Amino acid sequence: MPVIGITGGVATGKSALSGMVQELFPEALFFSADSESARLISKDELVRAEVLAILGSVAFGSDGQLNRPFVRSLIFEEPDLKRKLEEILHPRIRQAWQTLAKQSKEKEQWMFAEIPLLYETSGESLCDRVVVVACSPDTQRRRMIQHRGLPETLSEQIRVAQMSLSKKCSQSDHLIWNDCSFSCLVRQARLLADWLRCRYA
């Protein structure tokens, strides 16, 4: 069965679509790069030690969890820290979902992998199909500022630091356009699911 990559830009609705697809494919394996990153930082002692070494204890809250808003601001102020953090996390995340993809092939089981930096890390080579979730730049900015509480300047830094959405869209096998209502996104998820089941029946 196929490995389907789900990617897109920041605040485009990747996780929302993934949640819908998960309900439509309850038999499938699902992988989230963001969830794996959080697991590595909170549970893997070696990763945690490496992150502490480059970011310092100030990057963690009193509960021992990563202070994500602080770290997000820090790595955009100091790009070298961003690169070092990616060098710690990205190879491990890729190994984790590559292993899961291999298992899904062996078991002939559907797999969906939600990976924000799929194209940036050449992860599309491991996928049978790639779904890109996109929206307009104005919608991205509004969601980051209003829904996530990010400052406008930081929101724009995050947005432009990623591969352009237009380039991701041009490389995709399926495009989900999420400048719409929730019900419209649901309809697109169902259309995608129907197409995939017909294609791989």
Side-chain angles (χ1 to χ4, degrees):
M1 300 305 285
V3 174
I4 311 296
I6 298 175
T7 190
V10 60
T12 57
K14 300 179 297 297
S15 295
L17 178 76
S18 294
M20 295 172 187
V21 171
Q22 195 160 3
E23 291 183 3
L24 294 165
F25 288 86
E27 75 277 25
L29 290 171
F30 275 80
F31 178 87
S32 164
D34 287 346
S35 295
E36 178 64 9
S37 175
R39 186 196 70 79
L40 286 168
I41 293 172
S42 63
K43 303 294 185 182
D44 188 304
E45 293 301 327
L46 179 58
V47 170
R48 192 175 179 84
E50 292 180 10
V51 172
L52 273 167
I54 65 168
L55 298 181
S57 59
V58 69
F60 292 83
S62 57
D63 59 356
Q65 298 301 306
L66 191 69
N67 184 341
R68 292 186 177 278
F70 172 80
V71 171
R72 188 185 294 117
S73 299
L74 182 64
I75 62 177
F76 278 95
E77 290 173 3
E78 301 183 45
D80 191 51
L81 290 181
K82 181 175 183 288
R83 177 184 58 79
K84 289 179 179 178
L85 189 59
E86 289 174 346
E87 287 174 353
I88 294 170
L89 295 172
H90 286 182
R92 291 175 167 95
I93 292 171
R94 184 180 178 90
Q95 181 60 46
W97 82 271
Q98 190 171 10
T99 299
L100 198 60
K102 183 179 179 181
Q103 291 174 0
S104 76
K105 291 290 187 181
E106 292 171 351
K107 297 177 181 178
E108 296 188 353
Q109 186 175 11
W110 289 85
M111 178 180 169
F112 293 84
E114 181 195 340
I115 303 175
L117 302 181
L118 183 75
Y119 287 120
E120 291 89 333
T121 57
S122 301
E124 74 277 11
S125 62
L126 301 174
C127 299
D128 295 287
R129 310 289 293 182
V130 175
V131 180
V132 168
V133 187
C135 64
S136 69
D138 286 345
T139 298
Q140 278 184 289
R141 294 188 194 97
R142 176 175 53 77
R143 288 174 180 164
M144 283 190 282
I145 294 169
Q146 295 181 5
H147 300 173
R148 302 188 182 185
L150 299 179
E152 185 173 356
T153 300
L154 180 58
S155 299
E156 189 63 10
Q157 285 177 321
I158 294 171
R159 192 184 69 80
V160 300
Q162 296 183 343
M163 178 189 290
S164 73
L165 267 177
S166 60
K167 187 172 183 180
K168 290 185 178 183
C169 291
S170 69
Q171 295 183 26
S172 69
D173 297 301
H174 306 275
L175 173 61
I176 302 294
W177 189 252
N178 190 26
D179 254 350
C180 57
S181 65
F182 183 80
S183 61
C184 179
L185 185 61
V186 170
R187 289 196 296 274
Q188 291 184 79
R190 288 173 178 164
L191 285 170
L192 173 66
D194 289 346
W195 189 96
L196 289 173
R197 287 201 185 277
C198 286
R199 171 66 176 80
Y200 293 101

